[in-house]
């Protein structure tokens, strides 16, 4: 942690009993190369393992590390990380919180279908400036939290949200400041959502959106949901009454082009 001059290291294969590598190389800003031993198959936690390793451009994750359960902040702040293969064998993972936050060079990534135990992907790709496309696996149906998942991913133009992700409860700032985002489908099956605060905050290229017809049953707050969506001209709200809705503060603030809002009954007396 904080070995700022460390550029290369070989980890001993004989350390096969290691279970936790949290913060092991945090802020090793000069780290260029590292080999992760296949024999370290008992590792379960890699939280912050390479956080702010600014120049680390590529790394091979051993398939034998199949006991890992959390990858929170594993590569947070690895600005140079451009390519990585996520092993299908890491199927025990439950959280990928901020795993690739601020990985500015990362442009594409394949998410393994076998990671179906993941429940939170909050901030997973936040501020990944080069990320232009990723496919969200339908098998990740246990996800409940997508807060700031793609916040400030300014090259994403479109994305398909799986209908199988029906367990999601919060989407706060999920696409905040995705300034190139033009279209997104919102599945009706996402009917367990309770808050959509700032979900599309600052999405200046977004023009038309249709909220899932059954979204209204549990949503309580939509504060700043479309704040500063300057190109948004048409919104179709859920067909339900939005009986649980209590706060719509600044929901359409600075939506200068907005001319059509369908199903206004969703807003009720709020």
């Amino acid at each position: 942690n904080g070995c700022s001059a460390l550029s290369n290291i070989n980890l001993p294969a004989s350390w096969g009993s290691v279970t936790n590598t949290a913060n092991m190389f945090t802020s090793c800003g000069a780290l260029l190369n590292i080999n992760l031993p296949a024999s370290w198959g008992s590792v379960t936690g890699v939280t912050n393992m390479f956080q702010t390793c600014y120049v680390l451009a590529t790394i091979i994750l051993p398939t034998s590390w199949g006991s890992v359960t959390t990858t929170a902040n594993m590569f947070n702040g690895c600005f140079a990380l451009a390519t990585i293969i996520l092993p299908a064998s890491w199927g025990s993972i439950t959280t990928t919180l901020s795993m690739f936050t601020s990985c500015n060079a990362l442009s594409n990534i394949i998410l393994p279908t076998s990671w179906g135990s993941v429940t939170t992907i909050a901030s997973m790709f936040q501020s990944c400036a080069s990320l232009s496309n990723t496919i969200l696996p339908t098998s990740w149906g246990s996800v409940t939290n997508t807060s700031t998942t793609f916040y400030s991913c300014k090259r994403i133009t479109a994305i398909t949200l799986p209908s199988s992700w029906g367990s999601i409860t919060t989407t706060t700032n999920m696409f905040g400041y995705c300034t190139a985002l033009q279209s997104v489908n919102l599945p009706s099956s996402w009917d367990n959502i309770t808050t959509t605060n700032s979900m599309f905050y600052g999405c200046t290229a977004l023009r038309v959106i249709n909220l899932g017809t059954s979204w209204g049953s549990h949503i309580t707050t939509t504060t700043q949901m479309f704040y500063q969506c300057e190109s948004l001209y048409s919104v179709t709200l859920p067909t339900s009454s939005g009986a649980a809705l209590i706060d719509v503060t600044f929901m359409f603030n600075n939506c200068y082009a907005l001319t059509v809002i369908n199903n206004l009954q969703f807003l009720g007396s709020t």
Side-chain angles (χ1 to χ4, degrees), residues 7-171:
S7 60
N8 294 276
I9 190 170
N10 287 315
L11 301 176
S14 59
W15 290 16
S17 299
V18 172
T19 59
N20 193 349
T21 61
N23 299 291
M24 190 172 184
F25 298 103
T26 298
S27 299
C28 292
L31 187 64
L32 282 168
N33 297 295
I34 187 168
N35 291 318
L36 303 179
S39 58
W40 289 27
S42 299
V43 172
T44 58
V46 292
T47 301
N48 303 327
M49 187 174 181
F50 298 104
Q51 185 171 3
T52 57
C53 289
Y54 305 120
V55 298
L56 185 67
T58 185
I59 190 170
I60 297 175
L61 303 178
T63 58
S64 57
W65 288 31
S67 297
V68 172
T69 59
T70 175
T71 58
N73 291 294
M74 187 176 184
F75 299 103
N76 189 336
C78 291
F79 302 147
L81 187 66
T83 179
I84 191 168
I85 296 175
L86 303 180
S89 58
W90 289 30
S92 298
I93 291 173
T94 58
T95 177
T96 60
L97 175 71
S98 300
M99 185 176 181
F100 297 106
T101 295
S102 298
C103 289
N104 294 333
L106 191 66
S107 59
N108 289 285
I109 191 167
I110 297 175
L111 303 178
T113 58
S114 57
W115 289 25
S117 297
V118 173
T119 59
T120 179
I121 58 172
S123 302
M124 185 175 182
F125 299 107
Q126 181 176 342
S127 300
C128 287
S130 299
L131 188 67
S132 58
N133 182 45
T134 189
I135 296 175
L136 303 178
T138 58
S139 58
W140 289 30
S142 298
V143 171
T144 60
N145 188 346
T146 61
S147 295
T148 61
T149 298
F150 297 103
Y151 184 89
S152 199
C153 290
K154 297 185 177 182
R155 291 194 178 183
I156 292 179
T157 58
I159 194 165
T160 299
L161 305 179
S163 59
S164 57
W165 289 28
S167 299
I168 291 175
T169 58
T170 178
T171 59

